[in-house]
Amino acid sequence: MRFPHFAFLLLASSALAQAPAAPDAIIARIEGEPVRMSDVLATAADVMPAEMRGVPAEALLAMIPAEAMRQLIDRTITDRALIAAARRAGLDRDPEVRARLARAEAQELTQTLLQREVLPRVTDATIRARYDRDAAANQAEDEVRARHILVPTEAEARTALADLNRGQSFEDVARRMATGPGSREGGDLGWFKRADMVPPFAEAAFALQPGQLVAAPVRTQFGWHVIRVDERRRTQAPSFDDSREQIRQALLQEEVAGAVERLRGSVNIERVEAPAAAAPLVGTPPPPPAPAGRR
């Protein structure tokens, strides 16, 4: 049984008809082993939100309505009964089960170790320091939104430029003549920074103001371009609030990598080389073929 969300449990304690039991109170026995109210709270932890897991046991018991508590107790008893039945069947001694348990234990140990090593190092202060460092390095940049018509020859480019200067639509000329990226979109390249384009193209595009065409075609290793700039803008660095989670994730990855190196270095590791496969002796004849089966 899995509850849809723990929020439905969080009613005022006045909703309870009776005082809650103490966390160490025994509520059942399974094969003689006691089941305590603290075990029920451990079951509840599976469905409660993270912010509720630090609430003291006595306070949490006072917040759980009687019907929800009944369901939690029943689920806890069911879980313990199934575990007892599995052990009685000898599954805890099954080699495959024991191997899976060992892998689960190893994974839990590793994750908990890394969390304890890493989480204290990723604080609001370290996130802010990384943001300030990156903001100082990432200065505002100009961007343009431009269209282009890419053709193989200068003659074709000059023809396209002449058509544009006679008033033909850039989109129509691009769809008719262009062969490069954005031709189906009327040559629209979207927004880009100077470093996003090859130098001759970037130099020509960033010299234009919105609505201007290049005076002459621009040659790059891709061919000949006719360029028009539609818009210009100056980028702004993202705010701290917008960057916080991205920076936090980056710091976590860095700290995990560092923790793995530190912890690995703290453990005595002795490599044992695998034995090399025995090479056949030179001149040894191949084994005789297997006899054919009788018909």
Side-chain angles (χ1 to χ4, degrees):
M1 180 190 306
R2 185 157 185 92
F3 302 102
H5 197 276
F6 195 75
F8 80 100
L9 301 176
L10 305 183
L11 302 177
S13 59
S14 60
L16 290 174
Q18 57 186 14
D24 61 349
I26 297 175
I27 58 170
R29 285 186 172 85
I30 306 295
E31 297 285 341
E33 292 294 324
V35 179
R36 301 182 185 276
M37 191 60 70
S38 57
D39 299 319
V40 177
L41 293 181
T43 300
D46 291 341
V47 292
M48 70 173 63
E51 60 270 19
M52 293 301 302
R53 291 171 190 165
V55 175
E58 291 81 1
L60 193 59
L61 285 170
M63 301 169 74
I64 300 178
E67 176 57 23
M69 178 58 76
R70 186 194 65 77
Q71 294 182 42
L72 286 168
I73 290 173
D74 187 63
R75 172 178 166 176
T76 305
I77 290 173
T78 299
D79 289 347
R80 290 295 188 89
L82 291 175
I83 293 171
R87 285 177 174 155
R88 190 172 60 227
L91 293 182
D92 55 333
R93 299 186 297 276
D94 182 274
E96 183 179 348
V97 173
R98 291 179 68 84
R100 290 205 301 268
L101 290 173
R103 288 195 295 270
E105 180 185 26
Q107 184 177 23
E108 184 63 31
L109 287 171
T110 301
Q111 289 180 349
T112 302
L113 176 64
L114 289 175
Q115 286 173 357
R116 293 184 180 182
E117 285 283 324
V118 166
L119 292 182
R121 295 172 177 266
V122 181
T123 64
D124 286 342
T126 59
I127 294 172
R128 183 75 205 200
R130 175 61 61 88
Y131 173 81
D132 291 341
R133 188 201 74 179
D134 291 349
N138 297 328
Q139 300 297 325
E141 294 183 75
D142 286 329
E143 288 186 325
V144 298
R145 182 174 183 179
R147 295 177 183 271
H148 81 143
I149 298 170
L150 174 62
V151 290
T153 67
E154 182 180 7
E156 291 172 290
R158 291 193 177 278
T159 299
L161 186 58
D163 289 345
L164 295 172
N165 285 325
R166 283 194 293 268
Q168 292 189 30
S169 162
F170 197 101
E171 292 82 351
D172 290 343
V173 176
R175 292 189 185 102
R176 186 177 75 248
M177 299 187 65
T179 60
S183 57
R184 292 185 179 180
E185 295 77 29
D188 189 4
L189 295 172
W191 290 97
F192 56 87
K193 299 180 176 65
R194 187 182 294 268
D196 295 335
M197 298 296 178
V198 293
F201 189 101
E203 183 178 351
F206 280 85
L208 300 174
Q209 295 302 314
Q212 282 188 323
L213 276 169
V214 289
V218 176
R219 186 178 185 181
T220 71
Q221 63 265 45
F222 304 108
W224 291 84
H225 306 258
V226 176
I227 306 169
R228 187 186 77 191
V229 166
D230 291 341
E231 299 177 78
R232 296 181 69 108
R233 69 185 181 189
R234 188 124 175 114
T235 61
Q236 298 295 325
S239 69
F240 175 68
D241 288 338
D242 290 340
S243 306
R244 181 197 300 268
E245 185 56 29
Q246 181 179 356
I247 295 174
R248 179 177 176 274
Q249 293 300 324
L251 287 174
L252 286 173
Q253 291 180 11
E254 293 173 12
E255 290 294 344
V256 166
V260 168
E261 285 298 314
R262 289 194 307 273
L263 294 167
R264 179 187 168 96
S266 70
V267 175
N268 182 27
I269 300 174
E270 181 182 356
R271 286 186 176 273
V272 179
E273 297 295 334
L281 297 177
V282 177
T284 303
R294 294 183 179 179
R295 295 184 179 178

